[in-house]
Structure formats: C-alpha cells, structure tokens
Amino acid sequence: MSAIQENTEMTPNAQTNETPSVPGERVDMLNFTRKELEQYFIQQGDKAFRARQIFRWIYKQDVTDFTEMTDLSRNMREHLLEHATISSLDVVRVMDSVDGTKKILFRLKDGAQVESVVIPIGKRLTLCISSQVGCALGCRFCYTATMGPGRNLTIAEYMGQFLGAQRLLPEGQSITNIVFMGMGEPLVNFQNLLGTLDILTDELGPKLGARRLTVSTAGLCPQILKLGETFPVRLALSLHATTDAQRDQIMPINQRYNLKTLFETLRNFQKLPSQQSLPVTLEYTLIKDINDSPEDAKRLIKLSRSIRSKINLIPYNEHPGAPYKRPSSEAIANFLRILQESGVLATERQTRGDDILAACGQLALDGEAKKTRIPRPRNESPSSL
Ligand code: SAH
C-alpha cells in the first residue's frame, strides 16, 4: 500500500464540511438548494413555494434583508429574522490588474481567507472560485498545498464568493462563466460542490448554463464519474506529467489513481450522456526540466489523442513555496509548436492578473496567506486586525 492510500486526509469525507458552528446559530439560506429550502419551509409549517420567493430575492434581486421580502407573510419574515440569515463574505481587499482581472480576498466567518478572481475574456466574464482553505492533495508545485489540508468551503461560502464578486462589478455587468480552479480541490469538497452547481444552474437562481461551469480536478476518479452522472458541466484535468514516475513525484494523487486508471475513467466519463461531444481540457503546467522536454510533448500528444480533449499549457508561475522554475519562452514556444504540429488542439493559457499575483498557483501568495492559516477567534472584529 502506498503512503498516499494510508493518508486518510485525502478521502473526500475526511475534511469537515462545516464551518465551526455555534449553538443556536441561525440557518444560512445560502447553504440551501431550492429543494432543501422547500423542505425547510414545509418543516416550518409553511408552503414549499416560499423557496421560489426566497431564491428570487437572493439571486435575482440581491436582497439579503428579510424585512424587504414583502411577498412573505409578516409572521414568516419575523420567524426568519430570528432564526435565519443570508450571509455575505467580508471583502478584505480587491486588486485590479491593468488587464481588467480583479482579485478579491474574502474573509470567512472563522477568519480564514480565500481568493476569487474575475477574468474578462472577450465578452465573457469568468469567475475563478476557491473550494477549500488549503488543500490536502499536496501537489509539489502548488502554493495552496503549502497551507496544509485546511477545510472544505460550505455551499454558502461558495455562493458568497459568487454574490460577493457580482456585487463588485460595474452596473450592467454579470458573471457569465465559473471555473472551479481557485484554492483547493473541488472534488474533495464533493457534496458542497454538487449543491453549489445545483444552485448556480437553478432557473430561479443565477441560472448559469451547466456548460458555462468548469470543474478542475487533480484527478479523483470516482468523483469524476459521479460528477458526470449528475451535471453536464465541463471538466478540466490537471495532468502536468505524462509518465507515472513523473506524476507520482509532483502529484501524490497519482499514487492512488495512476495514468491508466485516470484515462480509463476519462473515457468512461466521456461516454456519459452529460458529456456528449464535450472535450476534457488537459491542463499542463510547464515546469523547467521536469516536464518540458520534446519527449514529454510526444507522450502528451498520445495521451491527448486517447480521449476527446484540448490541451491548455500553463507556464509555471514561480513562488517561494516550491523550488520549480518556469521554462524559457523559447522552450514554451517549442513545446507548444510540437503539440500544434501534431494536429492536437493546444493553446497556451494567457497569464492574467500577473501584476496582482492572481495567476494559477499564486492565490494567497502575498502576506495575507499567513492569516489564512491562523483563523482569528470568532469574536474578534475585523477592525482589530
Ligand atoms: N485542485 C484543482 C484546482 C486548483 S488549481 C486542480 O488540481 O485542478 C488550478 C490549476 O492551476 C491546476 O491545473 C493546478 O495544477 C495549476 N497550478 C497550481 N499551481 C500552479 C503554479 N504555480 N503555476 C501554474 N499552474 C499551477
């Protein structure tokens, strides 16, 4: 048995799904899918359709004060005021890049901090959201991994990033796409990811088409299949290496699900009705002298051809948490040329938000990362920081 199989931290349920709760705490409406909210109202002796009303208030009108929800009965409004809440995340800081990218640092209720990034690409406005505080997967090149296992974000914390980012946009603009490519591993936070996807695609909620949502994973095979059975979302797979020996070294998850298992899973995933004709994006972070040789490119072509895929090359973003280097521009161009000449679909990801450290693997890279690791006590006010 490999060391990784013994590491229970890596199993999806090992991390707690809950923010530390306080007895008598109000229920957060942002944690509910519409179905769950219907159940909630039925349990309160009210009608299921209240859920539709609440959903509209929250996700269409951005109203978070129950007293303004005029189509609810007075009694229900009073009940909700006492027992429920619609949370929002504190915005610690917003950084705007010259290229239009916006990095937002949010503070969660327990004091931990996560980042989200809004990236304008043509007519699209893509939000990159975080799934966990820290990450247990331990990819050697990733900055978030240096924070340790941390915890899963709740559905409310996922939705809080979406609503919080949306509020910071100029009038008339709205988020059109979401990528789950921020801090942490979305498929470790699986149940909350499903709940969040349910809300995001709800016709009475933000109503984002599932094909506008991309979940990026380091390769948790059982969850990849379950995801495909549940939602027609796009999948991005963080590949980063083309042999087991290489991938074992930089991505410990490979010791649990090796390349053969991974690509068998992807082939089965692509047979699911939800994935008809959709390609999987193979993300490949180019790291100097680790995975950037012409032989790597050739093996990558072979792997890419074994499924419907497109390759997204990400030049490595250096950070103090790992010894790796970005290859020279020449080496990157050469690698891309080999891929493109073979006829596989490959692009280089344009690094966005470079000036504000919002690029892949750089989230929580500045001084704020330290605070992310040491949550403040609940009763400490932000101003005392
Ligand atoms: N856990 C998920 C999503 C988070 S990371 C996953 O593994 O896919 C989003 C992408 O950025 C992943 O492909 C990840 O491997 C890549 N990445 C992480 N650190 C990086 C770095 N320093 N430079 C470039 N890409 C990096």
Side-chain angles (χ1 to χ4, degrees):
M1 189 189 273
S2 72
I4 215 73
Q5 278 166 324
E6 289 164 344
N7 180 1
T8 52
E9 292 282 21
M10 290 188 52
T11 58
N13 297 326
Q15 288 175 317
T16 166
N17 274 340
E18 306 298 331
T19 11
S21 66
V22 167
E25 204 175 18
R26 296 154 190 260
V27 289
D28 190 341
M29 302 272 111
L30 290 192
N31 269 322
F32 290 131
T33 63
R34 188 147 55 91
K35 277 230 160 66
E36 289 166 348
L37 204 51
E38 284 175 0
Q39 287 309 311
Y40 172 82
F41 280 108
I42 291 167
Q43 276 164 15
Q44 305 306 313
D46 204 326
K47 299 281 187 309
F49 73 83
R50 296 283 174 227
R52 304 169 75 89
Q53 295 173 315
I54 295 273
F55 248 58
R56 273 200 216 101
W57 284 116
I58 298 176
Y59 298 113
K60 300 263 190 248
Q61 318 275 0
D62 195 21
V63 166
T64 54
D65 181 350
F66 294 117
T67 52
E68 288 178 36
M69 300 186 179
T70 44
D71 54 0
L72 301 182
S73 70
R74 197 179 221 270
N75 278 353
M76 182 45 74
R77 270 182 273 164
E78 274 166 16
H79 174 86
L80 291 174
L81 273 175
E82 203 177 320
H83 298 286
T85 181
I86 297 165
S87 66
S88 56
L89 303 182
D90 291 339
V91 176
V92 178
R93 201 182 43 201
V94 181
M95 293 172 82
D96 289 292
S97 163
V98 287
D99 66 18
T101 300
K102 197 186 268 301
K103 179 163 94 161
I104 310 159
L105 181 65
F106 288 112
R107 185 186 293 117
L108 312 177
K109 250 197 287 174
D110 64 356
Q113 296 181 352
V114 292
E115 280 170 322
S116 315
V117 186
V118 183
I119 312 154
I121 309 168
K123 282 186 184 155
R124 279 181 287 159
L125 208 49
T126 299
L127 173 67
C128 173
I129 56 179
S130 293
S131 293
Q132 300 181 303
V133 180
C135 183
L137 296 194
C139 298
R140 304 277 180 254
F141 50 84
C142 178
Y143 192 77
T144 308
T146 65
M147 294 160 70
R151 71 165 172 89
N152 285 336
L153 298 193
T154 61
I155 297 175
E157 288 165 339
Y158 266 131
M159 294 312 302
Q161 292 175 74
F162 171 77
L163 293 170
Q166 184 73 49
R167 284 175 197 134
L168 291 169
L169 297 177
E171 188 77 30
Q173 282 189 21
S174 51
I175 287 156
T176 61
N177 295 65
I178 297 186
V179 293
F180 291 77
M181 286 186 191
M183 295 159 64
E185 168 57 46
L187 296 191
V188 168
N189 192 2
F190 195 61
Q191 286 311 319
N192 293 342
L193 172 72
L194 293 188
T196 302
L197 295 176
D198 193 323
I199 297 170
L200 288 172
T201 53
D202 193 309
E203 55 177 16
L204 296 182
K207 205 185 172 186
L208 289 169
R211 303 250 156 153
R212 290 170 176 269
L213 309 176
T214 302
V215 174
S216 180
T217 179
L220 276 82
C221 291
Q223 285 77 16
I224 288 176
L225 288 175
K226 276 191 220 150
L227 178 69
E229 283 159 10
T230 320
F231 282 102
V233 291
R234 291 176 186 269
L235 186 76
L237 188 275
S238 293
L239 185 59
H240 309 324
T242 53
T243 67
D244 281 323
Q246 271 179 336
R247 201 164 187 267
D248 281 352
Q249 288 225 327
I250 57 174
M251 298 180 72
I253 184 80
N254 197 69
Q255 293 166 35
R256 186 186 284 192
Y257 305 113
N258 64 17
L259 287 173
K260 185 166 177 276
T261 309
L262 184 57
F263 276 81
E264 262 168 29
T265 301
L266 293 178
R267 277 188 289 278
N268 289 331
F269 173 77
Q270 296 204 312
K271 286 182 198 147
L272 295 169
S274 77
Q275 294 300 309
Q276 263 180 10
S277 77
L278 271 189
V280 165
T281 300
L282 296 176
E283 296 170 281
Y284 194 89
T285 295
L286 269 176
I287 311 173
K288 187 173 192 281
D289 298 334
I290 300 287
N291 62 4
D292 61 342
S293 72
E295 288 69 39
D296 288 304
K298 283 175 198 143
R299 284 190 296 264
L300 180 56
I301 291 166
K302 209 170 159 205
L303 285 173
S304 171
R305 285 194 175 131
S306 70
I307 55 169
R308 287 191 308 276
S309 67
K310 54 182 184 187
I311 299 168
N312 199 197
L313 286 186
I314 315 168
Y316 182 67
N317 291 307
E318 296 175 17
H319 59 81
Y324 302 118
K325 297 273 174 245
R326 176 188 291 218
S328 68
S329 311
E330 262 181 358
I332 296 169
N334 196 38
F335 197 94
L336 183 62
R337 190 180 47 75
I338 299 174
L339 298 181
Q340 288 176 337
E341 281 179 1
S342 80
V344 297
L345 214 57
T347 49
E348 180 185 335
R349 182 175 298 174
Q350 295 302 315
T351 297
R352 306 293 305 261
D354 231 359
D355 52 336
I356 53 168
L357 291 175
C360 295
Q362 292 184 314
L363 298 184
L365 186 52
D366 49 18
E368 296 296 341
K370 289 189 220 91
K371 289 176 206 152
T372 306
R373 300 170 74 169
I374 312 162
R376 283 179 304 113
R378 299 180 62 84
N379 54 3
E380 196 177 324
S381 77
S383 57
S384 67
L385 264 182

